[in-house]
């Protein structure tokens, strides 16, 4: 069973950068699709980015494309989210997710991911 622990959140000014990390336990993680969702206060969970098990395919929400970059290091069982040019509307709790690609229907649907981290807060001040 895969378990996920996020780190790297914090407070940053608009235009700044943060790098989130997601450390995974479990030998099967390197075979899993991984991704990030976020949830702002009073709003639903929102897809941010996802990456295939090999790292060769990436997917982004339109709102973050060109500013956020997802990557992974399977040797270290870690997924990253490099966040540049941050905006106040990026403020949210960011969750790392993982799922077996054989059971995954859509990388953009939160309910399709059975494994979630505890979340890390990102706050962007204006």
């Amino acid at each position: 069973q895969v378990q996920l622990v996020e780190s790297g959140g914090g407070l940053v000014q608009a235009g700044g950068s943060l790098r989130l990390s997601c450390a995974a336990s479990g030998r099967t993680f390197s075979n899993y699709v991984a991704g990030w969702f976020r949830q702002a206060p009073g709003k639903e969970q929102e897809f941010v980015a996802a990456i295939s098990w090999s790292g060769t395919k990436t997917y982004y929400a339109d709102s973050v494309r060109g500013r956020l970059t997802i990557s992974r290091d399977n040797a270290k069982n870690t997924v990253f989210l490099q966040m540049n040019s941050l905006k106040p509307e990026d403020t949210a709790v960011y969750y790392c997710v993982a799922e077996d690609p054989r059971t995954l229907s859509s990388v953009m649907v939160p309910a399709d991911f059975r494994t979630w981290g505890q979340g890390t807060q990102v706050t962007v001040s204006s």
Side-chain angles (χ1 to χ4, degrees):
Q1 185 176 354
V2 174
Q3 293 183 322
L4 306 173
V5 177
E6 303 97 333
S7 61
L11 173 64
V12 64
Q13 289 187 333
S17 298
L18 282 174
R19 190 191 196 201
L20 305 185
S21 297
C22 174
S25 62
R27 293 178 295 174
T28 58
F29 178 73
S30 61
N31 296 328
Y32 276 34
V33 173
W36 295 89
F37 284 82
R38 66 186 181 187
Q39 188 166 23
K43 295 187 177 181
E44 295 185 350
Q45 292 169 332
E46 176 188 17
F47 168 74
V48 176
I51 188 166
S52 64
W53 68 270
S54 64
T56 57
K57 295 183 179 179
T58 56
Y59 311 85
Y60 295 97
D62 289 342
S63 60
V64 307
R65 186 175 289 110
R67 300 188 298 116
L68 276 57
T69 302
I70 189 170
S71 61
R72 68 191 298 166
D73 184 342
N74 285 339
K76 297 182 178 180
N77 269 9
T78 305
V79 175
F80 305 98
L81 187 66
Q82 178 66 43
M83 309 170 70
N84 298 330
S85 302
L86 284 164
K87 304 175 181 180
E89 50 263 45
D90 293 317
T91 295
V93 177
Y94 283 71
Y95 296 92
C96 180
V97 297
E99 185 55 66
D100 187 327
R102 295 172 295 181
T103 60
L104 184 63
S105 297
S106 171
V107 299
M108 298 183 182
V109 177
D112 280 6
F113 287 89
R114 291 175 291 177
T115 302
W116 289 68
Q118 84 288 350
T120 186
Q121 177 70 47
V122 172
T123 303
V124 184
S125 63
S126 57

